[in-house]
Amino acid sequence: MSHTHLQFIAGERRPGSAEELSIIEPATGAEITTGTAAATTDVDAAVSAAAQAFPEWSSRTPADRSEALYRWADVLRGRADELAALESRNGGKPIKLAEGFDIPGVVDNVAFFAGAARNLDGKASAEYSGDHTSTIRREPVGVVGSIAPWNYPMQMAAWKILPAVAAGNTVVLKPSEMTPLTSLVFAETAVEAGIPAGVINIVTGTGPVTGAALVSHPEVAMVSFTGSTVVGRQVAATAAGAVKRVHLELGGKAPFVVFDDADLEAAARGAVAGALINAGQDCTAATRAYVQRPRYDEFVQRVAELLEGVRIGPVDDPETDLGSLISLAHRDRVAAMVERATAAGAKIVRGGRIPAHTPDAGAYYEPTLITDAAQDSEIVQQEVFGPVLVCLPFDTDDEAIDLANDTVYGLAASAWSNNVFRTQRAAREIRAGCVWINDHIPIISEMPHGGYRASGFGKDMSAYSFDEYTNIKHVMSDITGATRKPWHDVIFHGD
Ligand code: NAD
């Protein structure tokens, strides 16, 4: 069995000093490799490498950083097939998803931030007071500690690392201990492209040890976390103790609102693709379809038919539509939520079980359609993070908006209608960081991704993400040369 160094510190792969980790292929249960986790001392070494790299990297010109990022995009393009195969294997993802979405998305993000690195904006310098010239400096915050989840390992690493390094910060990223392999290659290719050793470091290990050490490290100026709301709360609490800047991208429970004038076939297809992408392990996945009553039965029937055609299979088969979940433990958690839903009165229209003909140790679960759940039940309110869509009827437009807003989350939502007034209202009144109209899921590097309410705060991707990873400094220079300034009257009197 192969053994892999799972740490990338100061430009080198290294073993960690903590326990052995086994990296599993979730679709089969086979071990891909083993390696050792990062202990606190490894986190110290990574933070120290990032701190050492910071002065040189942060003082480079934007054009220099941009050039390095463009070279990185080229290196990644050349290794796209290899990376897609690795992401598919380690994440249980169908190869067509890794090849068509995960890896091209990463390459596009690198290229976007290569351009954006030269365009950090701010207010125009001017004499706002009349007596001073005010200028804005955008300065990197320092060493950023980033923590990523397992669902889109390389994309999440990219979303965390790119705006940070483009703005001149250096980074220590902790990927999920289940899916570190592509993040390690990602960091290695940065060095290959000429980004200096130490600018990007990877520490692989568990949340409570490696993650907690990174969050609480005194030399980490900012923590950028993507993961569950439960862990996000702990991370925020630790960061608050040190008054450390924090950026949180947390869970979601996206509503999918279908009004009675919608193109029903488009909505049904959108719901199936939106619910099943990445086996539903997507923070923006369509999870709660609310359908206006006159079209409800038709919608449920069509979604059930479409689910029937989804091909479950080995992840390296280009024909496979639905891969496995990330682990057997997570599959069992999804299955238990579905069981509790039916025990509480919900009905399973389709799925709700482990598929036949998949490997026993593979974490597969059938695409599942649930109806008749109560709005306040767990299956409607809590994140399932599996291939499970709940469908419920509504009567009035007011009710649809209320139901869409009726969870603690606010990451993403969609509204389906051919009536511009309805879609505009939904866009305005649904409280979420992204509202799609007549679609659900597409993302783009130029536009921000981030939540409202328990889905967190701060933006990934787009130029808006620079607001997370830069300090804005106001420099106010006197232009009068006067010894006695008019405002000194507040203290001095007379002459
Ligand atoms: P998780 O919260 O369990 O883990 C996320 C990361 O945090 C992992 O690397 C984990 O090791 C680490 N971690 C765990 N405990 C920690 C601690 N005490 N201190 C520091 N780090 C710790 O989430 P997950 O199961 O890996 O991922 C799924 C979750 O991620 C879902 O809730 C999903 O909605 C969310 N997610 C959100 C977005 C977004 O952009 N909002 C994107 C992808 C995933």
Side-chain angles (χ1 to χ4, degrees), residues 374-463:
Q375 174 62 23
D376 62 358
S377 63
E378 180 191 51
I379 201 83
V380 177
Q381 294 291 325
Q382 300 299 323
E383 206 174 22
V384 179
F385 232 54
V388 178
L389 178 68
V390 180
C391 201
L392 300 171
F394 69 88
D395 291 304
T396 66
D397 289 22
D398 287 350
E399 191 190 354
I401 303 285
D402 287 348
L403 289 166
N405 285 329
D406 178 34
T407 70
V408 296
Y409 298 107
L411 189 58
S414 64
W416 297 73
S417 166
N418 285 324
N419 176 327
V420 69
F421 301 106
R422 281 178 147 169
T423 56
Q424 287 295 327
R425 181 181 176 198
R428 197 172 60 241
E429 295 185 15
I430 295 179
R431 294 196 298 270
C434 173
V435 178
W436 287 285
I437 303 298
N438 294 323
D439 207 341
H440 194 112
I441 288 295
I443 50 173
I444 191 77
S445 300
E446 287 84 349
M447 286 291 147
H449 168 94
Y452 285 23
R453 302 189 286 156
S455 294
F457 45 80
K459 299 295 177 193
D460 280 332
M461 303 201 295
S462 82

Side-chain angles (χ1 to χ4, degrees), residues 147-150 174 177 225 227-228 234 249-251 283 383 449:
I147 296 184
W150 45 259
K174 190 199 91 61
E177 61 276 27
F225 173 85
S228 62
Q234 293 169 25
E249 296 286 355
L250 309 178
C283 49
E383 206 174 22
H449 168 94

Side-chain angles (χ1 to χ4, degrees), residues 24-29 88-94 150-151 178-179 275-282 312-313 315 322-336 338 353-355 361-368 384-388:
I24 301 292
E25 191 177 299
T28 62
S88 161
R89 205 172 160 212
N90 194 188
K93 289 168 190 280
W150 45 259
N151 60 337
M178 289 186 275
T179 55
L276 299 189
I277 185 166
N278 208 34
Q281 302 163 120
D282 182 308
I312 301 174
V315 293
L322 189 72
S324 77
L325 301 189
I326 192 62
S327 64
L328 289 173
H330 183 58
R331 194 268 308 276
D332 292 347
R333 192 186 146 270
V334 168
V338 171
R353 52 180 183 248
I354 294 163
Y364 286 88
Y365 195 71
E366 280 204 358
T368 298
V384 179
F385 232 54
V388 178

Side-chain angles (χ1 to χ4, degrees), residues 93-335:
K93 289 168 190 280
I95 188 68
K96 70 174 175 176
L97 179 69
E99 281 177 350
F101 185 75
D102 293 74
I103 307 306
V106 170
V107 173
D108 190 64
N109 252 267
V110 179
F112 170 78
F113 279 104
R118 301 182 73 169
N119 192 26
L120 287 169
D121 64 359
K123 266 185 100 68
S125 299
E127 289 65 47
Y128 294 98
S129 76
D131 290 342
H132 310 83
T133 297
S134 283
T135 53
I136 287 293
R137 296 176 58 83
R138 255 183 197 272
E139 298 178 345
V141 297
V143 176
V144 177
S146 293
I147 296 184
W150 45 259
N151 60 337
Y152 292 103
M154 196 165 162
Q155 279 205 356
M156 293 302 103
W159 288 14
K160 306 272 100 183
I161 289 171
L162 290 165
V165 300
N169 301 281
T170 56
V171 176
V172 178
L173 172 94
K174 190 199 91 61
S176 163
E177 61 276 27
M178 289 186 275
T179 55
L181 301 179
T182 49
S183 300
L184 287 160
V185 178
F186 189 46
E188 276 174 338
T189 53
V191 173
E192 251 174 86
I195 293 175
V199 172
I200 299 166
N201 306 276
I202 307 286
V203 287
T204 302
T206 60
V209 176
T210 314
L214 187 57
V215 174
S216 59
H217 198 292
E219 277 190 85
V220 168
M222 167 184 173
V223 177
S224 174
F225 173 85
T226 299
S228 62
T229 298
V230 172
V231 177
R233 271 195 202 102
Q234 293 169 25
V235 166
T238 308
V243 198
K244 202 173 270 195
R245 185 186 284 217
V246 67
H247 169 205
L248 300 174
E249 296 286 355
L250 309 178
K253 189 75 189 175
F256 184 104
V257 179
V258 184
F259 293 98
D260 56 8
D261 62 310
D263 175 340
L264 206 92
E265 179 64 12
R269 297 179 79 83
V272 169
L276 299 189
I277 185 166
N278 208 34
Q281 302 163 120
D282 182 308
C283 49
T284 63
T287 59
R288 304 177 280 141
Y290 298 105
V291 185
Q292 207 149 18
R293 206 171 299 270
R295 312 295 298 281
Y296 178 74
D297 289 343
E298 194 188 340
F299 181 85
V300 169
Q301 191 188 336
R302 186 61 186 139
V303 167
E305 278 167 20
L306 289 168
L307 290 177
E308 213 58 56
V310 171
R311 298 163 301 189
I312 301 174
V315 293
D316 59 355
D317 181 345
E319 302 280 294
T320 293
D321 301 318
L322 189 72
S324 77
L325 301 189
I326 192 62
S327 64
L328 289 173
H330 183 58
R331 194 268 308 276
D332 292 347
R333 192 186 146 270
V334 168

